[in-house]
Amino acid sequence: AAIQIAAKFSAKLHVVGILGKNENNYKYKMEVIFKQIEKLAKAKKVVCSCEISVAENRAVKTLAVAKKLNADLIITMTDQTAGLSRIILGTYAHQLINNSKIPVLSIPPEIHPENMDQDSIGGMW
């Protein structure tokens, strides 16, 4: 959705992947995903840059990057996992919305059953 919005408004797209302090094992996966995003953006003639950061608080880091870039809009995926600690502390999307002076668009992630873990689809496996 972000690429389509950027294409529609001739906007630049800056993708930020934020890893937690103990999530370096996800860096390679994120790099692969970024290459796919850059390819899709190029096909739509959208100027796109990608950055991987490590932070303790993803919302604070997102807001800092958006401010540094003088962003007009922050697009985030809705946090679909809300365990007890996230309900008490507030989800990533809630933190963004509550603390951002920049408009925030929160969209649900696309679900592709072929890419999901078998146990998260449901049924008997």
Side-chain angles (χ1 to χ4, degrees):
I3 294 173
Q4 287 86 352
I5 292 169
K8 185 86 168 168
F9 293 98
S10 300
K12 295 177 184 173
L13 183 64
H14 188 83
V15 182
V16 181
I18 304 172
L19 299 173
K21 296 227 181 251
N22 298 318
E23 295 179 335
N24 280 337
N25 52 327
Y26 293 109
K27 186 177 179 186
Y28 176 75
K29 287 181 182 180
M30 198 171 285
E31 289 170 345
V32 170
I33 292 168
F34 281 178
K35 286 186 190 323
Q36 295 170 354
I37 291 169
E38 288 169 333
K39 184 177 178 181
L40 290 169
K42 187 176 181 180
K44 295 282 186 179
K45 297 182 170 68
V46 172
V47 176
C48 178
S49 61
C50 297
E51 157 186 356
I52 297 175
S53 291
V54 176
E56 216 168 287
N57 185 310
R58 288 174 172 85
V60 170
K61 181 65 176 180
T62 300
L63 293 173
V65 171
K67 184 177 178 181
K68 179 181 84 174
L69 294 170
N70 198 25
D72 296 314
L73 177 67
I74 297 170
I75 300 176
T76 183
M77 285 190 294
T78 306
D79 189 352
Q80 297 296 311
T81 56
L84 182 60
S85 65
R86 288 197 174 135
I87 292 170
I88 294 168
L89 299 174
T91 63
Y92 170 74
H94 282 119
Q95 287 180 18
L96 278 179
I97 292 165
N98 290 333
N99 297 308
S100 182
K101 294 180 179 167
I102 300 167
V104 177
L105 175 61
S106 182
I107 57 174
E110 290 182 15
I111 297 174
H112 298 278
E114 68 275 9
N115 295 333
M116 295 177 70
D117 293 332
Q118 299 241 338
D119 61 351
S120 66
I121 295 174
M124 295 181 67
W125 300 103

